[in-house]
Amino acid sequence: MSNLIGTNVPRTDGASKVTGAALYIDDYAAEGELYGATVRSDIARGKLRGIKKDPSFDWTGITVVTAADIPGDNVVALIEDDQPLLAANAINHVYEPVALVACADPLRLQRAMKAITLDVEPLPPVLTLDEALARKESIFGEDNVFKRYVIRHHIDGEHGSIDDIIARCDIVLSGRYEVHHQEQLYIEPQGMIAWWDEAGVHVTGSLQCPYYVHKAMKRAFALEGDQVHIAQAVTGGGFGGKEEYPSILAAHAALLARASKRPVRMIYGRKEDIEATTKRHPARVDITTGCDKNGKLVALKVDCVMDGGAYATLTSVVLSRGLLHAAGAYEWKHARVAAQAVATNTPPNGAFRGFGAPQTIWGIERHMDRLAEKLGVDPLDLRKKNLLKIGSTTVTGQTLKESVGVEECIERAVKDSGYYEKRAAYAKQATTGTSRRGIGICVFMHGAGFTGSGERRLKGKVQVDLERGGKLRIRTASTDIGQGTETVFRQIAATAAGVPLEAIEFEVPCTTHVPDSGPTVASRTVMVVGSIVGTAAKEVAEKVRGSAFWTKGGDHAAFAAAGDRLLDAAKEPIVSLVQYEPPVANQWNDDTYQGDAYPTFSWGCDIAEVEVDQDTFETKILGFWAAQDIGKAIHPVLCAGQVEGGTLQAIGWALYENVVWKDGRIMNPRMTNYVIPTSKDAPAFKTILVEHPFSGGPNGAKGVGELPMDGGAPAVAAAVEQAIGAKCNHLPLLPENLFAYAKNAKTSNIQ
């Protein structure tokens, strides 16, 4: 059979989605089902004194659930036990869920919602980073801090404090860089359908991580694992937004189903989805650096603060990844990198593509441009002088031993874009006229897989079954949420087993029928889970070809015949269950944050070319070059789709998207006023896939899903800066903000 690695086979889920045959959760219908909805707080912080039902309302056929009806622990089981499924005493953000209501008639359901009143004593809310750090109000622990980390790094011995080391450098520069919330805005809103029977509780829904929901349901309902059955419906996008939040919605639907003894569907509308679910953490990054007069970097000091929102959710691990990417793709002799996440009375922030790295890469990349400006050198030349390479040591003490393709990414992106020529030409353009152009660059990396020893602790597994007719069935909890996992896993399995693509089946991810492969996060699906898919498929095929029924040199028909006879003879399933073992002997210390932070890194160089209208300050992307080293492209078209989709999401974060807040409320929770780029706004992408294979990935593959989110915003900002002649250190780059930056720059020049 042919090798399918590196080929663009047709998406195996393409036809069903194009024809409408694919069933998303809102397409499901359960006999006798009720519609469920959530009663939420309307203030940011307070004491819940009671929940009142209007006695004049006809409550016949209406099910109401409160915290008192939760049979297990009233927590969203994740990392910290601080977030309740339903508020029992305290209100900590405007959209806090307090009660649940179900009814067969959607209209009566809405009327019942209005017949419930929350008695809340208001308290002063904490709504910003500065208010949280000031500690005038205590809303989490003693100091409002969810988590702190510090990395200390000295490559040639200590020479005093980081401040002393920086002070001795020829060139010292400090800067502050800020980023804002971002909404995932997946196509399909959150949705779940739940029901109970003699086997326990069943939930089907739009989700990324079936076993996260499984874990949360066991705690909420005090059930054993085999009494909880979580299945994924076809899912219309996630971007991290369906990593932890589905646990809440699944529990809510199941609580109503338990109380009413009927199936319950809870499908969010767009407004509720934007208001109540998690978003990207806003962050403030303060950086001070020291270098020599030739631009060789010496010392780095970073202080990053992230806004976690009302509850911890996944904030500690988002913060961790942000910390580990704060030094950028550069070598430092000395570094002190600190990060903390604080609580505020805003909806909890959580997982989002990039997982903290875009925030800190924004900081270091903007700082590199500021440093190049101070040194009077081209920003790219400064970066190239200080790049990490094979043999380099990162600030965690990790020595890079293979698969570092960043230099090739830069070389190819620069060549294709004409970066140097355009940069020089735009520097000479007239300051008059209605528009000006600029070109900017960003260099970045993204750790592939879980941090440190995470994979070793997780012990992710997959199973491959031999089925009749020479078929192999993949059983994995890794989900396809639009990125093409099903197709790529089939390519890996078919190639490893030496069978046609059509011989590979993919089991619906359901905790009852698939092993725990770990969550669909951290750019680990292909690199980590894909590797054991290949191993398991190969082992099953070897059982067939090693049997007495196999004829050497036979085709797939012979394989199918031998497989059928093997199944008959075995009288039991022929399967291979494989557990992931990290291929690199990671040495990682969770206390000092020193060691091998990731098995490997993916690398990238983004170049943006823009035109900014000098009257309206609207920005148009003229061209975008994204060169990204992903090890090996198993399916090049799908990889390019990931790069272009992630990059467009980064462009949206930079230029268009802005969550507008007032007293803890979101003022623009609709697609008509939360603006994201559409296909019409997408620039002419030039996507360059660079392949420096990683020995630990299947056929050399590394992570690709999150990397594209990291570099787009800094590249766009650098280009806009050249066009308007003003510094852009803070996101978003809305026209009114650019106008202010340009006005301030002009005033500074006059002074």
Side-chain angles (χ1 to χ4, degrees):
M1 296 299 168
S2 61
N3 184 351
L4 298 175
I5 303 302
T7 65
N8 296 315
V9 303
R11 281 190 68 136
T12 52
D13 58 342
S16 64
K17 290 180 175 174
V18 170
T19 60
L23 294 181
Y24 295 82
I25 190 60
D26 205 22
D27 297 321
Y28 283 63
E31 186 176 352
E33 68 181 10
L34 305 179
Y35 295 88
T38 310
V39 179
R40 301 180 184 278
S41 163
D42 63 356
I43 66 167
R45 182 174 175 234
K47 292 181 180 176
L48 179 63
R49 293 185 294 213
I51 303 169
K52 299 175 182 175
K53 295 166 64 178
D54 184 349
S56 67
F57 185 79
D58 178 8
W59 292 96
T60 305
I62 307 287
T63 300
V64 178
V65 166
T66 67
D69 300 305
I70 298 172
D73 296 330
N74 183 15
V75 297
V76 182
L78 197 59
I79 296 175
E80 301 286 342
D81 281 351
D82 62 329
Q83 184 175 15
L85 288 165
L86 293 170
N89 302 303
I91 299 296
N92 283 314
H93 65 93
V94 167
Y95 308 108
E96 180 101 52
V98 179
L100 306 168
V101 186
C103 178
D105 180 351
L107 181 58
R108 283 198 71 219
L109 175 64
Q110 293 305 312
R111 289 172 177 165
M113 297 271 288
K114 293 179 180 177
I116 293 176
T117 304
L118 305 182
D119 180 11
V120 180
E121 176 187 342
L123 294 171
V126 174
L127 299 176
T128 67
L129 287 176
D130 288 328
E131 290 174 1
L133 293 170
R135 307 177 192 174
K136 288 183 179 178
E137 294 290 328
S138 180
I139 61 172
F140 184 88
E142 297 180 352
D143 53 7
N144 295 333
V145 175
F146 284 132
K147 189 72 178 180
R148 288 189 176 89
Y149 300 102
V150 178
I151 294 173
R152 292 184 175 84
H153 167 72
H154 298 281
I155 205 158
D156 57 354
E158 291 195 30
H159 302 269
S161 72
I162 193 70
D163 291 327
D164 292 339
I165 295 169
I166 291 175
R168 291 196 293 268
C169 292
D170 297 333
I171 306 294
V172 176
L173 178 68
S174 295
R176 169 167 289 187
Y177 313 95
E178 296 175 305
V179 299
H180 59 317
H181 284 92
Q182 186 180 22
E183 164 64 34
Q184 290 93 351
L185 216 71
Y186 26 71
I187 293 174
E188 180 201 27
Q190 306 264 355
M192 296 282 170
I193 296 177
W195 70 97
W196 292 76
D197 62 16
E198 63 280 358
V201 62
H202 304 257
V203 180
T204 297
S206 181
L207 53 88
Q208 286 182 232
C209 310
Y211 275 93
Y212 275 11
V213 181
H214 188 262
K215 173 185 173 183
M217 295 289 284
K218 286 193 296 180
R219 286 284 302 278
F221 294 92
L223 295 172
E224 298 297 324
D226 60 359
Q227 296 174 293
V228 178
H229 313 274
I230 309 299
Q232 185 210 19
V234 175
T235 297
F239 311 117
K242 292 174 183 171
E243 183 172 342
E244 74 263 46
Y245 197 85
S247 296
I248 299 175
L249 189 52
H252 286 179
L255 283 167
L256 285 170
R258 180 175 178 271
S260 64
K261 303 187 187 311
R262 293 170 66 173
V264 171
R265 68 162 54 226
M266 296 188 74
I267 314 289
Y268 284 177
R270 183 63 66 185
K271 180 174 181 291
E272 184 175 26
D273 197 297
I274 290 179
E275 288 176 338
T277 64
T278 57
K279 292 167 181 51
R280 184 181 304 287
H281 292 70
R284 184 166 70 203
V285 187
D286 291 313
I287 300 178
T288 299
T289 55
C291 69
D292 68 20
K293 60 183 64 175
N294 297 315
K296 189 63 179 176
L297 300 176
V298 176
L300 168 72
K301 179 182 178 182
V302 177
D303 287 286
C304 172
V305 185
M306 290 190 183
D307 179 353
Y311 297 111
T313 66
L314 292 166
T315 289
S316 62
V317 279
V318 171
L319 184 72
S320 167
R321 188 169 286 260
L323 175 94
L324 292 167
H325 288 76
Y330 311 108
E331 285 189 288
W332 303 91
K333 288 185 177 178
H334 308 275
R336 202 279 280 151
V337 184
Q340 60 181 324
V342 299
T344 60
N345 292 120
T346 57
N349 297 308
F352 196 142
R353 192 178 206 167
F355 213 72
Q359 290 94 318
T360 52
I361 288 175
W362 166 264
I364 192 65
E365 284 299 286
R366 296 283 62 226
H367 190 83
M368 291 296 283
D369 282 348
R370 296 283 75 77
L371 184 57
E373 185 180 59
K374 184 161 185 170
L375 289 163
V377 301
D378 185 89
L380 176 55
D381 293 340
L382 175 64
R383 287 171 166 87
K384 290 165 69 175
K385 186 185 293 259
N386 294 285
L387 279 180
L388 289 165
K389 51 189 176 295
I390 289 179
S392 294
T393 301
T394 70
V395 295
T396 69
Q398 177 171 0
T399 300
L400 302 179
K401 297 173 182 171
E402 62 170 320
S403 191
V404 181
V406 64
E407 289 185 344
E408 184 179 343
C409 289
I410 293 173
E411 179 183 341
R412 294 181 64 180
V414 167
K415 182 180 179 182
D416 273 29
S417 65
Y419 169 81
Y420 281 117
E421 296 80 3
K422 290 177 180 175
R423 183 90 182 167
Y426 294 153
K428 299 174 182 174
Q429 66 189 313
T431 56
T432 57
T434 58
S435 65
R436 287 172 55 83
R437 293 187 174 187
I439 191 166
I441 195 165
C442 174
V443 178
F444 52 102
M445 81 297 192
H446 197 98
F450 277 163
T451 300
S453 51
E455 294 292 351
R456 202 174 300 282
R457 290 196 301 270
L458 181 64
K459 300 181 179 9
K461 303 177 185 66
V462 301
Q463 180 173 309
V464 172
D465 301 355
L466 176 65
E467 297 191 338
R468 293 196 174 274
K471 301 275 188 181
L472 303 183
R473 180 173 295 276
I474 301 170
R475 296 184 186 273
T476 172
S478 294
T479 55
D480 193 324
I481 55 176
Q483 78 279 46
T485 296
E486 286 191 30
T487 301
V488 172
F489 276 10
R490 282 182 162 104
Q491 285 180 270
I492 294 172
T495 300
V499 301
L501 187 72
E502 297 73 21
I504 306 297
E505 303 286 349
F506 193 91
E507 181 69 23
V508 172
C510 172
T511 55
T512 311
H513 304 298
V514 303
D516 186 356
S517 312
T520 307
V521 302
S523 297
R524 63 183 292 278
T525 299
V526 169
M527 189 185 84
V528 172
V529 184
S531 69
I532 51 178
V533 166
T535 301
K538 184 179 180 183
E539 286 183 0
V540 171
E542 287 175 347
K543 290 179 183 179
V544 176
R545 295 194 177 99
S547 72
F549 311 113
W550 171 247
T551 302
K552 190 174 181 180
D555 58 11
H556 187 64
F559 181 89
D564 288 351
R565 294 182 67 186
L566 180 62
L567 286 169
D568 291 337
K571 298 179 180 177
E572 62 182 13
I574 304 294
V575 305
S576 176
L577 177 66
V578 178
Q579 177 178 307
Y580 182 73
E581 291 294 337
V584 178
N586 288 39
Q587 298 298 320
W588 177 250
N589 187 318
D590 279 316
D591 297 323
T592 63
Y593 257 54
Q594 287 293 296
D596 297 335
Y598 299 99
T600 189
F601 293 86
S602 298
W603 305 87
C605 174
D606 283 355
I607 295 178
E609 183 181 9
V610 307
E611 183 175 84
V612 181
D613 188 300
Q614 299 299 294
D615 294 324
T616 66
F617 285 92
E618 292 175 291
T619 300
K620 179 180 181 182
I621 307 284
L622 300 176
F624 202 103
W625 293 262
Q628 308 204 345
D629 167 26
I630 58 171
K632 175 65 182 177
I634 304 292
H635 190 299
V637 167
L638 288 177
C639 290
Q642 286 287 300
V643 173
E644 292 169 11
T647 302
L648 190 59
Q649 211 160 23
I651 291 171
W653 190 39
L655 293 178
Y656 309 113
E657 300 181 45
N658 186 34
V659 181
V660 180
W661 297 90
K662 184 178 181 183
D663 300 329
R665 289 182 178 79
I666 296 174
M667 307 306 291
N668 55 337
R670 300 183 186 279
M671 293 186 75
T672 51
N673 50 21
Y674 183 84
V675 180
I676 63 170
T678 68
S679 57
K680 280 191 168 183
D681 302 304
F685 281 113
K686 173 66 175 179
T687 300
I688 303 163
L689 300 179
V690 174
E691 297 184 326
H692 284 239
F694 169 52
S695 61
N699 305 94
K702 300 188 290 190
V704 65
E706 295 180 283
L707 177 72
M709 186 70 222
D710 295 343
V716 168
V720 170
E721 274 185 357
Q722 191 184 31
I724 69 172
K727 296 180 177 60
C728 299
N729 291 340
H730 314 304
L731 288 179
L733 306 178
L734 302 176
E736 56 267 39
N737 295 343
L738 296 185
F739 171 72
Y741 297 156
K743 185 179 178 182
N744 290 340
K746 190 175 291 183
T747 302
S748 299
N749 290 337
I750 291 172
Q751 292 172 341

